[in-house]
Amino acid sequence: MSAKPEVGLVREASRQIVAGGSAGLVEICLMHPLDVVKTRFQIQRYATDPNSYKSLGDSFRMIFQTEGLFGFYKGILPPILAETPKRAVKTFAIAGLGSGLTEAIVVNPFEVVKVGLQANRNTFTEQPSTLSYARQIIKKEGLGLQGLNKGFTATLGRHGVFNMVYFGFYYNVKNIIPVNKDPTLEFLRKFGIGLLSGTIASVINIPFDVAKSRIQGPQPVPGEIKYRTCFKTMATVYQEEGILALYKGLLPKIMRLGPGGAVMLLVYEYTYSWLQENW
């Protein structure tokens, strides 16, 4: 008698993982260029640097001119590979802060590889492959907190804070605003609440994101580690570059969140509905 509920639970979890993974995959493929731009802004230190980007439009123009179209897709393989285990963690972990912390444990090594590849300004064909770059990190720096898991505390902060604020705000506001019977208006209601929730969460968690990019990205002086720990990195960035430096990359992050959230919501709902009917 107890086997049926267990089978039902496994099937439901599998549907959510497949639907969530499909939605995440589509979102990554469509919105990854904004993630590349966000990382580039976060790792550049001074506006006086001749290689720094002056604006969002300038960053797109320079990347396209110097690195080609595929320059916008540098580092895309690590988040794709991390998507399925990340969705599995989100399905089984405690919502909010708990899911963010457990998710960070899974994705951090992939983030280290992704940021390193995104920071590389060579043409797409000249940069190392995902696997060879991961091997290079392990060989030189190991698997620990100075190697494939560097920036771990910053990733914990980024994911934990974002999920805690996002889910807390989303579900509270969602329960206040009544459900609309019109499918289009109901989608807009969910999307609007999700966009607002994500924007607030992004504003609150982006200092952790900047610290993560500085720790995982190339150091200012090759061979000398300047950015080691999360809060010390935040303090260094604040002291040397000012408070606004802790919010670098906020615009492309929010720009990705809006249409990306809509894409994920649509793909998830359609995929999940199809799985319910056919699986």
Side-chain angles (χ1 to χ4, degrees):
M1 295 292 290
S2 61
K4 288 184 178 179
E6 289 179 4
V7 172
L9 180 63
V10 171
R11 183 176 295 173
E12 176 61 22
S14 299
R15 286 171 182 162
Q16 291 188 25
I17 292 171
V18 172
S22 301
L25 177 62
V26 173
E27 190 272 342
I28 290 169
C29 292
L30 291 176
M31 309 307 297
H32 192 73
L34 285 167
D35 193 59
V36 172
V37 171
K38 181 207 74 171
T39 300
R40 294 286 180 89
F41 272 110
Q42 289 178 341
I43 61 176
Q44 70 179 25
R45 299 179 63 219
Y46 301 112
T48 53
D49 184 345
N51 294 317
S52 67
Y53 303 120
K54 306 300 186 292
S55 65
L56 190 64
D58 182 56
S59 65
F60 275 96
R61 181 181 58 80
M62 286 184 66
I63 291 173
F64 181 73
Q65 287 180 348
T66 59
E67 302 168 48
L69 181 62
F70 288 113
F72 293 109
Y73 291 91
K74 288 181 174 179
I76 193 172
L77 187 56
I80 288 176
L81 294 175
E83 190 60 32
T84 298
K86 184 174 80 173
R87 292 295 158 186
V89 165
K90 277 185 176 290
T91 300
F92 293 107
I94 301 170
L97 178 62
S99 69
L101 296 179
T102 49
E103 177 186 314
I105 295 171
V106 173
V107 305
N108 191 65
F110 296 94
E111 286 290 316
V112 172
V113 177
K114 184 198 78 170
V115 170
L117 292 173
Q118 289 180 337
N120 189 322
R121 295 200 180 194
N122 293 331
T123 61
F124 191 82
T125 54
E126 292 175 332
Q127 75 168 27
S129 68
T130 299
L131 184 59
S132 65
Y133 185 66
R135 285 175 175 169
Q136 181 182 328
I137 294 172
I138 295 170
K139 185 178 180 180
K140 289 185 178 180
E141 302 165 346
L143 295 167
L145 297 178
Q146 297 301 322
L148 199 60
N149 273 292
K150 59 186 172 184
F152 178 64
T153 53
T155 304
L156 283 176
R158 185 182 78 157
H159 287 259
V161 170
F162 184 91
N163 282 16
M164 180 176 64
V165 175
Y166 181 88
F167 286 117
F169 187 89
Y170 180 84
Y171 285 109
N172 278 286
V173 175
K174 185 181 173 185
N175 292 331
I176 294 172
I177 302 176
V179 176
N180 200 299
K181 293 181 180 179
D182 186 300
T184 303
L185 294 177
E186 176 59 16
F187 170 77
L188 291 174
R189 180 185 79 97
K190 290 180 180 178
F191 174 67
I193 298 170
L195 177 59
L196 182 59
S197 303
T199 300
I200 293 171
S202 294
V203 171
I204 293 174
N205 92 320
I206 198 167
F208 290 97
D209 202 0
V210 172
K212 184 187 82 69
S213 294
R214 293 294 178 96
I215 296 168
Q216 295 176 344
Q219 300 294 309
V221 179
E224 181 182 316
I225 300 177
K226 179 175 183 176
Y227 305 113
R228 290 182 180 273
T229 61
C230 177
F231 291 106
K232 188 175 180 181
T233 297
M234 287 186 191
T236 300
V237 172
Y238 170 72
Q239 290 168 0
E240 294 184 353
E241 303 169 49
I243 187 69
L244 292 180
L246 291 171
Y247 291 86
K248 286 182 175 179
L250 180 60
L251 180 57
K253 184 172 184 174
I254 293 175
M255 286 176 66
R256 176 184 180 177
L257 180 74
V263 167
M264 285 191 68
L265 186 59
L266 284 171
V267 174
Y268 178 87
E269 289 191 352
Y270 281 115
T271 304
Y272 185 74
S273 297
W274 185 87
L275 291 171
Q276 280 186 313
E277 293 174 3
N278 297 278
W279 187 13

